[in-house]
Amino acid sequence: MREFWVSVHRYAGLSMAVFLVVAGLTGSVLVFREELDALINPELYRVSPPSPHAEPLDPLAIRRRLMDADPRIQINWITLQPRHEHALNIRVQPRPGSPHPGFDELFVDPYTGRILGTRTWGRISDGVENLIPFLYRLHYQLALDQVGRLLMGVIALIWTLDCFIGAYLTLPRRARRRRSPGRSSAGERLRDLWRRWQPAWRVRWRSSHFKLNFDLHRAGGLWIWAMLFVLAWSSVAFNLDSVYRPVMGLAFEFQDVRQDFRELEQPNTTPRLSYADARQKALAYLDGTRQHLTDTPVRQLDDTGMSYYPQYGLYHYRFRSDRDVDSDWGRTRMYIDGDSGEVVALYLPTGAAGGDTLTTWLLTLHMAGVWGLPFKIFVSVSGVLLVMLSVTGIIIWQRKRSARLRSGRRRNRTAHGTNPGGA
């Protein structure tokens, strides 16, 4: 049975190796994607307050001004969290019936509303300005859009299963039973298992090249096994939700706030409430006592952003609350009727449903959104170690394959040499 799982681990690893090398290398860089993008494109990101006490303009006012100035663009999602000395990064779409503007991303000075620059997100042919967005596309979809996203989702699923197979293969073989007058206790058996398993966690640094390579592969996988599993299973959540949700749903509940959304016969493209009106409705709801959508009040910490769904006639207001775990980016979501202003749904990232709480932690850990710089460095190093595990796995396979081929050639030469009818 063990030999069967060895074969499964070998061929699963070979099928994933190139993809995991790409994911590991790009992921180790993308942990610092915002900092690196700003470093590469200072002219797009860096702004200075016009005076020491200047306050940024309301992002919703900037949105309205931009759309009035350029009839070609539509801005659906707008961030509500301008950062100090950091440009507003705004994604745009062509307005229906208008020519394409030739870009899909705007960089705007939050103090003046002045456009600093534009780019087409992820189009590497435009030059180094798109390097970080291109690496992002490469990371989760191989820069192949939906086909690549599906492929990386399947790879993530294989990787998740292989995490358990690889861990099983590091366990020591079952010890032979020794004759003893009495049975050993569970504690003694666990101590014996740990004693025999300890070599799998060590690296023989002064041994042969093959042994060192093997130890790095085996021990390296054990050292960061928990993080590898988090990265693998959260990748399934990102790319293959049709598998992730049903599997997690077997053991955990999820909030499904959209199940009651009624799709309109005709999209409502002109709601009675503006973005600013809907935002005020959301803030009034959070400041009030009408917490009928949750058992306990939700405390807002920061705005994150807003968008509008014309097919449902609903505004989507996103913010960071005391139910979030990410230190920067909120996952708490509220949905407001675009005509009546009624709050129709509230999604809480933790505390409401076990499946959502676990998913929030998985995705936040994947994005290195907690525990500051030390954890970002750890996730970045984990990406490098993932590359190391893939490369060492290929070397192990190649060495064993070469040994099998040499052994086969020797057997053939021996057989021909002793066969009377041979040449």
Side-chain angles (χ1 to χ4, degrees), residues 209-210 213 390-400:
H209 181 270
F210 178 78
N213 186 84
S390 300
V391 173
T392 53
I394 292 174
I395 292 173
I396 291 170
W397 166 77
Q398 212 284 325
R399 289 287 298 272
K400 290 186 175 181

Side-chain angles (χ1 to χ4, degrees), residues 102-115:
F103 55 86
D104 60 14
E105 199 171 13
L106 283 170
F107 294 84
V108 181
D109 188 325
Y111 296 99
T112 65
R114 181 174 65 90
I115 295 176

Side-chain angles (χ1 to χ4, degrees), residues 63-75 92-103 106 115:
R63 171 187 176 273
R64 186 71 266 165
R65 184 187 300 182
L66 291 171
M67 290 178 58
D68 289 343
D70 190 340
R72 299 173 302 169
I73 66 172
Q74 174 75 32
I75 302 174
V92 304
Q93 304 83 34
R95 190 172 296 187
S98 300
H100 197 284
F103 55 86
L106 283 170
I115 295 176

Side-chain angles (χ1 to χ4, degrees), residues 87-252:
L88 274 179
N89 182 210
I90 301 173
R91 299 297 294 271
V92 304
Q93 304 83 34
R95 190 172 296 187
S98 300
H100 197 284
F103 55 86
D104 60 14
E105 199 171 13
L106 283 170
F107 294 84
V108 181
D109 188 325
Y111 296 99
T112 65
R114 181 174 65 90
I115 295 176
L116 302 175
T118 64
R119 71 180 177 187
T120 300
W121 189 87
R123 191 167 68 185
I124 193 61
S125 59
D126 289 346
V128 72
E129 68 177 26
N130 256 319
L131 176 60
I132 299 303
F134 176 74
L135 290 180
Y136 193 94
R137 289 187 62 220
L138 198 62
H139 179 73
Y140 83 98
Q141 58 172 223
L142 300 174
L144 296 174
D145 299 322
Q146 286 301 114
V147 173
R149 183 172 183 172
L150 176 61
L151 178 58
M152 289 300 278
V154 172
I155 292 297
L157 185 59
I158 297 172
W159 182 19
T160 301
L161 298 174
D162 196 49
C163 281
F164 292 97
I165 297 172
Y168 161 73
L169 293 176
T170 68
L171 293 172
R173 295 180 182 272
R174 185 175 298 178
R176 295 180 180 178
R177 293 184 178 181
R178 298 177 180 176
R179 294 181 181 180
S180 58
R183 293 183 177 180
S184 58
S185 65
E188 290 174 336
R189 290 196 296 271
L190 285 175
R191 283 192 292 273
D192 179 64
L193 174 63
W194 172 241
R195 178 183 57 80
R196 293 184 294 112
W197 195 25
Q198 281 181 344
W201 293 77
R202 300 177 186 140
V203 175
R204 294 166 289 184
W205 296 104
R206 298 183 179 180
S207 59
S208 67
H209 181 270
F210 178 78
K211 289 181 180 179
L212 176 61
N213 186 84
F214 179 82
D215 287 352
L216 287 172
H217 185 78
R218 182 176 62 176
L222 286 173
W223 294 338
I224 60 167
W225 187 91
M227 193 64 215
L228 292 176
F229 172 73
V230 166
L231 294 174
W233 190 228
S234 59
S235 297
V236 177
F238 277 122
N239 286 39
L240 211 60
D241 189 63
S242 59
V243 173
Y244 176 83
R245 276 294 186 110
V247 171
M248 292 290 283
L250 295 174
F252 304 101

Side-chain angles (χ1 to χ4, degrees), residues 276-325:
D277 295 333
R279 183 189 191 187
Q280 288 303 315
K281 292 287 185 181
L283 294 175
Y285 178 88
L286 292 169
D287 289 340
T289 58
R290 299 176 294 106
Q291 300 291 340
H292 61 279
L293 294 177
T294 60
D295 295 332
T296 57
V298 178
R299 184 166 62 90
Q300 185 210 34
L301 302 177
D302 294 301
D303 284 314
T304 297
M306 286 186 70
S307 59
Y308 179 68
Y309 297 139
Q311 69 270 34
Y312 300 116
L314 296 175
Y315 281 100
H316 164 214
Y317 175 68
R318 189 161 175 165
F319 59 99
R320 192 167 68 92
S321 74
D322 54 356
R323 302 295 186 91
D324 276 288
V325 296

Side-chain angles (χ1 to χ4, degrees), residues 34-35 81 83 302-304 320 325-331 364 368-370 372 376:
E34 292 185 4
E35 297 88 344
Q81 194 180 40
R83 301 185 182 184
D302 294 301
D303 284 314
T304 297
R320 192 167 68 92
V325 296
D326 196 305
S327 56
D328 294 318
W329 188 253
R331 295 184 183 274
T364 305
V370 289
K376 282 191 172 186

